[in-house]
Amino acid sequence: MQLALQMVSGYGGEFSAWRMPGTDPAAYTNMDSYVERAKIAEKGKFQMIFIADTPALINDLGPQTPMFPMDPMVALMAVARETKHIGLVATQSTTFNYPYNIARQFKALDVISHGRVGWNAVTTSQPETAANFGAQIASRKRRYEMAHESVQIVQALWGSWEPDALTLDVEGGKFADMDKIQPIDLEGQYYASRGPLPIPPSEQGQPVIFQAGGGAEGLELAGSYASGVYANPFDIESAREHRQAIRQSATRFGRNPDDIKMYAGFMFSLGSTEEEALERRRKLMSFNPEEIPSRVSYLGSMVGLPLSVYSVDIAQPLSADMLKKAYASPMDPRSHRALQLLKQGLSVRDVLAHGVINYHPVVAGTPVQVADFLEQWFLASACDGFSIVPDISYDGVADFVDQVVPILQDRGLFHREYEGKTLRENMGVPYQYGRINYKNN
């Protein structure tokens, strides 16, 4: 099992976490906070930290914190200088960044960190982001055509130095062998670059490519280039299907399916008892009471009932008559879990506290309950690992490392030491240097 710590904006996966006692309200602008969490994750032998990103303000900063760091690359640079083993992965869009800028930033950080960097290559479909670049959102087909061109140019730029081009010959006065540093001269329909980069290879050759995004186009992008995929399934069955589709895509492009790893998103709240963990989540919910009506209403749509804070007492279970009419909506894969909890007699508030409408599956419970969930998915071949999102970062990361990781290690599910010094070694994926266009092989 492999573990990635998703850093979010410095507070945790719940955007009211900044108000919890003990949390630094200024963690968003305090890079020491990111460094501290990364060091704790490194102590727990996490393979990597992961920073998602959308270059736009897309949520209300009145009651909530931003969804992403100020700048992912700045945050990773701060972490790189204070850690030695943990991988450093960030998202940059192939839609609104030139390939040369992507290649330069990630390869420079890869060299500085001695081969610990990964690039999550994604397309961008948010109108808010497009507006920041004075553009309109292109069609899905066009965005993925751009993505293929971007990745191929970035790979070529990463390989524009031959592995032994950096000579550092002091006596001979030769810093590098220019015969081994060549332009790439690639031009596509959307992007072009002459190159070369002014950067030699790192210990892992070049950064690891990750991908996030579903559909046939996303699977093709992942199968062509990615060594890691971040996915958002809500149950074991859909996770297993998605992982199998990723592996089949890799095989279609002539790759070993074991060389591509899928990380399922997962959120947690820890307590010494399940009730203690739920109380933690109830407190988080209480910080934004204005959101509760919409959450109750959405829960109702998931189970086919017209629920509102005016029609039910959210601190009580639903009546037997209402439960007889309830059903799991086929429109939302989270509905089955919501209905199951309601039929167990939990109150509406506690069903919401269990995270049934969160972006990832949630376990609110003891360290053993969290470990059981991870073990069940992993042994079912539903994923190769998890992108872990704590509810509250300031204590959630340390609690996971101190209380859950030892259980996984004792069960033989998680390593006790890093396999090597580079991200590729610790992921178990092969060395790569330069452009490998699997699509055309």
Side-chain angles (χ1 to χ4, degrees):
M1 182 188 301
Q2 298 187 19
L3 296 177
L5 173 64
Q6 190 166 336
M7 297 292 281
V8 201
S9 61
Y11 303 93
E14 298 293 339
F15 300 120
S16 57
W18 70 283
R19 297 179 63 184
M20 285 292 281
T23 297
D24 174 13
Y28 177 62
T29 57
N30 181 5
M31 289 298 101
D32 290 342
S33 174
Y34 288 83
V35 170
E36 182 180 354
R37 304 299 171 257
K39 283 184 172 180
I40 294 170
E42 187 172 70
K43 172 189 170 187
K45 312 302 179 186
F46 274 59
Q47 274 78 8
M48 69 199 78
I49 62 171
F50 166 53
I51 299 179
D53 187 48
T54 294
L57 179 59
I58 57 176
N59 63 317
D60 180 2
L61 298 190
Q64 300 178 337
T65 54
M67 297 178 68
F68 310 104
M70 292 186 294
D71 185 292
M73 300 305 288
V74 171
L76 288 186
M77 174 60 78
V79 171
R81 300 297 293 164
E82 299 290 336
T83 55
K84 293 183 178 180
H85 302 285
I86 197 164
L88 312 165
V89 185
T91 296
Q92 272 202 18
S93 170
T94 58
T95 309
F96 293 111
N97 288 288
Y98 285 107
Y100 186 89
N101 289 340
I102 295 172
R104 187 182 190 189
Q105 287 184 322
F106 279 92
K107 194 176 185 188
L109 187 58
D110 199 37
V111 170
I112 290 168
S113 68
H114 300 287
R116 293 189 284 132
V117 169
W119 168 38
N120 184 34
V122 302
T123 69
T124 300
S125 59
Q126 293 91 351
E128 298 92 341
T129 299
N132 288 339
F133 293 88
Q136 300 291 322
I137 290 296
S139 69
R140 183 177 179 87
K141 179 177 182 293
R142 180 187 175 100
R143 293 199 309 273
Y144 275 93
E145 289 173 346
M146 294 171 69
H148 280 278
E149 285 191 11
S150 175
V151 172
Q152 290 181 37
I153 291 174
V154 167
Q155 286 180 325
L157 286 165
W158 282 342
S160 55
W161 289 46
E162 292 185 24
D164 59 349
L166 183 65
T167 58
L168 300 179
D169 180 1
V170 175
E171 291 187 4
K174 192 172 188 178
F175 182 82
D177 186 345
M178 284 302 297
D179 291 336
K180 297 181 178 181
I181 304 172
Q182 298 295 330
I184 63 167
D185 291 322
L186 285 181
E187 182 174 355
Q189 183 179 355
Y190 306 103
Y191 295 122
S193 182
R194 178 183 181 274
L197 281 180
I199 306 171
S202 74
E203 285 86 336
Q204 67 173 358
Q206 64 191 39
V208 179
I209 293 178
F210 290 75
Q211 184 270 345
E217 298 89 349
L219 286 172
E220 182 180 5
L221 192 67
S224 296
Y225 316 107
S227 297
V229 175
Y230 295 113
N232 302 311
F234 292 106
D235 54 56
I236 284 179
E237 290 74 20
S238 59
R240 188 189 292 115
E241 289 174 3
H242 190 58
R243 178 175 180 264
Q244 187 60 28
I246 291 168
R247 292 171 62 83
Q248 289 171 349
S249 181
T251 301
R252 284 198 302 273
F253 294 108
R255 301 175 60 199
N256 182 341
D258 291 335
D259 291 342
I260 186 168
K261 314 295 183 183
M262 190 188 100
Y263 303 87
F266 171 71
M267 301 180 74
F268 67 91
S269 293
L270 283 174
S272 59
T273 64
E274 183 175 314
E275 174 58 27
E276 184 178 303
L278 282 175
E279 181 55 31
R280 181 178 169 101
R281 295 187 64 82
R282 292 187 202 109
K283 187 172 182 64
L284 285 166
M285 288 171 56
S286 72
F287 290 134
N288 290 316
E290 67 279 0
E291 291 186 356
I292 293 177
S294 62
R295 289 179 174 228
V296 172
S297 177
Y298 190 83
L299 176 62
S301 70
M302 293 170 72
V303 296
L305 297 173
L307 300 184
S308 74
V309 293
Y310 309 106
S311 64
V312 296
D313 181 352
I314 67 169
Q316 298 296 322
L318 295 181
S319 68
D321 287 341
M322 295 190 78
L323 288 174
K324 287 180 182 178
K325 301 174 184 176
Y327 63 91
S329 169
M331 304 302 293
D332 193 320
R334 300 168 293 183
S335 298
H336 293 281
R337 171 71 170 155
L339 182 60
Q340 177 189 42
L341 292 173
L342 286 169
K343 288 188 172 182
Q344 288 176 6
L346 274 67
S347 69
V348 171
R349 181 184 62 185
D350 282 357
V351 171
L352 291 171
H354 269 283
V356 296
I357 64 174
N358 279 73
Y359 189 59
H360 299 304
V362 175
V363 173
T366 66
V368 170
Q369 287 176 300
V370 170
D372 287 347
F373 178 95
L374 301 178
E375 179 178 18
Q376 183 183 17
W377 277 50
F378 181 69
L379 294 184
S381 298
C383 59
D384 298 282
F386 298 88
S387 178
I388 301 288
V389 190
D391 55 354
I392 307 163
S393 291
Y394 92 90
D395 61 351
V397 179
D399 286 348
F400 187 94
V401 166
D402 293 339
Q403 300 174 34
V404 180
V405 166
I407 298 173
L408 298 175
Q409 291 172 330
D410 289 344
R411 294 180 183 181
L413 297 168
F414 189 61
H415 65 182
R416 294 184 182 273
E417 295 296 338
Y418 285 105
E419 283 72 22
K421 295 182 178 180
T422 70
L423 178 56
R424 291 182 183 277
E425 289 173 314
N426 292 321
M427 288 178 62
V429 298
Y431 179 91
Q432 181 181 336
Y433 190 63
R435 184 186 183 201
I436 299 180
N437 183 9
Y438 295 105
K439 186 177 179 182
N440 295 328
N441 279 358

